Amino acid sequence: MIHGGMTLEDKNYVNQLIPQKFRAKSFFVKENIEAENVLDIIKQNHLSYPVILKPNNGCRGRNVEIIENETHLHSYLKIFGNEDLLLEEYVDLRKEIGVFYIRFPNSEKGFISGVVEKKGVEVVGDGKQTLAELIKYNFRYHKFYPQVFQNTTFNENYIPEKDERVLLSSIGNHARGATFYDSSYKISDKLEDLFNEICSSMDGFYYGRFDVKFNSWRDLENGENFKIIELNGAASEPTFIYDPENFYLFAITEIMRHWDYMYQIAKINKEKGHRFTGREECWSLFKEYNPFSI
């Protein structure tokens, strides 16, 4: 990854680093492409709705959408089609986690430093309020009201029965209202063996977070019924820090711990002949990441 994936990495390129059998199908979509050409990609590769569209150079869930039908596809491209996109199959598996994997270049095997479980926007009915009201009056979800109901997938006036759970968005990122839970207690030898197997074929990969969808922990540990939907490199956050039960100082400590891992990896790589990113490159990278701050 360019600069180790520190910012705005090419998601299509990164996907190609992951063995196909482990990842969701994905296809590069050039900026300003005609909708008919995207429809051809969907047809030729035997994809079915829903599908995922997102920026090829994005971060923190920016403009990620579940595309439900052809009409939705046209409207998405009209708004967001002025940049390169990534079209992905929708992986219809129940659970989503982020697995932070680390391996030092002089070690044969790596380890998992933390696991985060992601849960989308979900409301619980009381038999009285409509879906619209359950979102509008929810402290966490109210600001996501426009996204939840923009494509009329859900009826705003539907009244869920008491204790009925309704999942309104399965997109597992903060930008779309997901809640993150620290599931690092789920780390096991079998889970680490699986990710050592996955990463052993990715030459030069030592640090990053895999976003994974799967059906059950047992299946995942056995390497069954799971798909990697994204991989992030040096800019990866140990997102288990965002568990509502965790404290600020815990988060800072974990970030510093992971930055130290990254430095140790870079130091070993430098001893092997690789170089650090120079100051001018870092400055250019900073401006690329945050052009409005200059």
Side-chain angles (χ1 to χ4, degrees):
M1 305 179 193
I2 296 175
H3 301 293
M6 180 55 73
T7 180
L8 299 178
E9 63 263 42
D10 183 328
K11 292 183 183 295
N12 181 58
Y13 173 78
V14 173
N15 277 356
Q16 309 311 311
L17 303 177
I18 308 168
Q20 178 62 72
K21 66 178 181 177
F22 296 124
R23 63 178 172 87
K25 294 178 182 178
S26 62
F27 307 91
F28 179 74
V29 175
K30 187 66 177 174
E31 62 179 339
N32 298 319
I33 193 172
E34 296 292 333
E36 288 68 24
N37 293 332
V38 181
L39 292 171
D40 286 341
I41 295 173
I42 291 173
K43 183 178 179 179
Q44 292 167 10
N45 292 280
H46 308 290
L47 300 180
S48 58
Y49 293 105
V51 294
I52 303 290
L53 273 174
K54 61 185 179 183
N56 189 50
N57 297 103
C59 62
R60 302 187 71 84
R62 179 176 67 90
N63 298 339
V64 177
E65 287 284 354
I66 299 176
I67 306 300
E68 301 287 350
N69 50 49
E70 186 173 330
T71 301
H72 190 183
L73 174 71
H74 280 271
S75 63
Y76 181 92
L77 292 176
K78 187 175 181 180
I79 300 171
F80 303 117
N82 60 345
E83 64 175 314
D84 292 341
L85 301 170
L86 198 63
L87 170 69
E88 293 182 341
E89 67 170 324
Y90 176 73
V91 179
D92 190 17
L93 298 173
R94 296 187 302 112
K95 295 179 179 291
E96 182 177 344
I97 58 172
V99 177
F100 211 116
Y101 177 87
I102 294 166
R103 179 169 72 89
F104 295 108
N106 53 6
S107 301
E108 289 187 8
K109 294 185 178 182
F111 61 94
I112 296 171
S113 65
V115 174
V116 63
E117 190 163 1
K118 308 175 183 182
K119 295 186 179 180
V121 176
E122 183 180 71
V123 294
V124 181
D126 60 5
K128 299 176 182 179
Q129 296 184 88
T130 64
L131 282 180
E133 290 169 333
L134 288 169
I135 288 290
K136 281 182 178 178
Y137 304 127
N138 183 290
F139 180 77
R140 181 178 179 85
Y141 296 149
H142 69 92
K143 69 178 180 179
F144 300 105
Y145 181 92
Q147 292 102 326
V148 169
F149 295 110
Q150 66 182 349
N151 299 310
T152 66
T153 303
F154 298 96
N155 181 355
E156 299 174 66
N157 298 315
Y158 172 69
I159 301 177
E161 296 180 7
K162 183 174 174 56
D163 298 327
E164 178 185 350
R165 293 182 174 273
V166 182
L167 182 64
L168 295 166
S169 173
S170 60
I171 297 176
N173 62 57
H174 274 148
R176 296 300 294 271
T179 306
F180 291 5
Y181 297 96
D182 189 346
S183 293
S184 299
Y185 65 93
K186 293 282 191 178
I187 298 171
S188 65
D189 291 341
K190 292 184 72 173
L191 193 62
E192 289 191 332
D193 287 344
L194 172 64
F195 279 89
N196 275 315
E197 177 189 351
I198 293 169
C199 296
S200 64
S201 60
M202 299 169 60
D203 186 37
F205 177 77
Y206 303 111
Y207 181 99
R209 192 189 69 244
F210 293 87
D211 292 336
V212 184
K213 296 195 76 172
F214 63 106
N215 264 334
S216 71
W217 288 97
R218 181 177 179 179
D219 281 354
L220 181 61
E221 286 188 329
N222 290 329
E224 301 170 351
N225 299 320
F226 80 95
K227 288 290 182 181
I228 295 167
I229 57 174
E230 188 160 302
L231 169 61
N232 295 282
S236 299
E237 292 179 297
T239 44
F240 54 87
I241 64 176
Y242 294 118
D243 187 310
E245 297 297 319
N246 286 336
F247 293 94
Y248 178 74
L249 288 178
F250 169 82
I252 295 300
T253 301
E254 284 301 312
I255 290 171
M256 293 177 66
R257 179 168 73 101
H258 283 76
W259 283 358
D260 184 63
Y261 287 143
M262 183 159 46
Y263 170 72
Q264 295 300 329
I265 291 167
K267 185 178 178 182
I268 295 169
N269 276 333
K270 186 177 183 182
E271 292 169 355
K272 290 176 174 287
H274 298 279
R275 66 180 184 86
F276 288 160
T277 302
R279 291 181 181 179
E280 291 186 2
E281 290 175 288
C282 285
W283 180 244
S284 175
L285 188 65
F286 175 74
K287 290 191 291 183
E288 177 186 12
Y289 181 72
N290 192 10
F292 302 107
S293 67
I294 308 303

